[in-house]
Amino acid sequence: MPDDTISIREFARREGVSDTLVHQALKKGKLSREPDGRMNPALVGSGWHKEESSAKRFAEAAKNDEELATGAGPVRGVSYGEALRLKENWLALLRRLDYEHKAGSLVEVATAQRVVFDLCREQRDAWLAFPSKVAPFLAVEFGIADLERLTASLAAHVHNQLADLGEPHARFDGEQL
């Protein structure tokens, strides 16, 4: 045996982990063996066993769970442990949604649509009232005697502008409005 390599158990001992974890890392490709089947001691302390961020692991687990639940992924049997993990992940997602809803950082789509509709209606009503409010001031400023004709002309232009704008269509899927 060459002096510059160490056994898997010695590698695990130096790293402060179990040799099972080292074997799993070898299977996943996080670590590699030397040609003689032993480990390079320079890899000790390289951070290979550091966990990925919990957010990344959570997102990957949720994606895998969704594929299993919707049948988008490959059809296969699920072991009891896997089913339990799926259940716990979905319960965690539901608790997270409940928390965000109670904290006020999550709003139901129906509520958001109602708010957007009400705001657009207020703006439309303000524009429809604009000609009758501003026409007397314009008539005095420009010396126009026929106030009714000026009001009707302004109202027609406001109506055309509102028709050009069309109906508001709010999108809540992250796409641009």
Side-chain angles (χ1 to χ4, degrees), residues 68 76-89:
L68 283 173
R76 61 183 164 91
V78 178
S79 67
Y80 176 74
E82 181 71 10
L84 191 59
R85 187 187 68 77
L86 287 171
K87 175 188 164 200
E88 291 302 320
N89 284 342

Side-chain angles (χ1 to χ4, degrees), residues 50-121:
K50 299 286 186 227
E51 287 292 323
E52 298 170 347
S53 70
S54 61
K56 184 176 178 184
R57 282 187 291 125
F58 189 75
E60 287 176 4
K63 180 182 172 203
N64 293 340
D65 295 349
E66 187 174 334
E67 287 177 354
L68 283 173
T70 60
V75 179
R76 61 183 164 91
V78 178
S79 67
Y80 176 74
E82 181 71 10
L84 191 59
R85 187 187 68 77
L86 287 171
K87 175 188 164 200
E88 291 302 320
N89 284 342
W90 280 107
L91 288 175
L93 282 171
L94 290 174
R95 285 190 294 269
R96 180 177 169 195
L97 285 173
D98 187 44
Y99 170 78
E100 288 176 352
H101 182 69
K102 288 178 181 176
S105 61
L106 184 68
V107 179
E108 293 180 11
V109 171
T111 303
Q113 287 174 331
R114 188 173 51 253
V115 167
V116 169
F117 179 81
D118 290 344
L119 287 173
C120 289
R121 177 181 285 180

Side-chain angles (χ1 to χ4, degrees), residues 15-164:
E15 193 69 51
V17 298
S18 69
D19 60 329
T20 305
L21 188 62
V22 175
H23 283 287
Q24 289 173 353
L26 287 167
K27 285 182 185 177
K28 290 180 181 178
K30 291 182 179 181
L31 288 174
S32 61
R33 291 182 183 183
E34 295 297 316
D36 64 355
R38 295 168 58 88
M39 303 290 299
N40 184 347
L43 294 175
V44 173
S46 63
W48 62 270
H49 65 349
K50 299 286 186 227
E51 287 292 323
E52 298 170 347
S53 70
S54 61
K56 184 176 178 184
R57 282 187 291 125
F58 189 75
E60 287 176 4
K63 180 182 172 203
N64 293 340
D65 295 349
E66 187 174 334
E67 287 177 354
L68 283 173
T70 60
V75 179
R76 61 183 164 91
V78 178
S79 67
Y80 176 74
E82 181 71 10
L84 191 59
R85 187 187 68 77
L86 287 171
K87 175 188 164 200
E88 291 302 320
N89 284 342
W90 280 107
L91 288 175
L93 282 171
L94 290 174
R95 285 190 294 269
R96 180 177 169 195
L97 285 173
D98 187 44
Y99 170 78
E100 288 176 352
H101 182 69
K102 288 178 181 176
S105 61
L106 184 68
V107 179
E108 293 180 11
V109 171
T111 303
Q113 287 174 331
R114 188 173 51 253
V115 167
V116 169
F117 179 81
D118 290 344
L119 287 173
C120 289
R121 177 181 285 180
E122 288 175 13
Q123 290 178 2
R124 183 204 65 193
D125 292 346
W127 274 108
L128 290 175
F130 178 77
S132 61
K133 287 181 180 178
V134 77
F137 297 110
L138 290 175
V140 169
E141 187 175 332
F142 294 112
I144 300 172
D146 194 358
L147 181 62
E148 291 177 12
R149 188 169 159 211
L150 177 62
T151 304
S153 178
L154 284 172
H157 287 289
V158 167
H159 283 281
N160 286 340
Q161 178 64 23
L162 290 174
D164 287 345

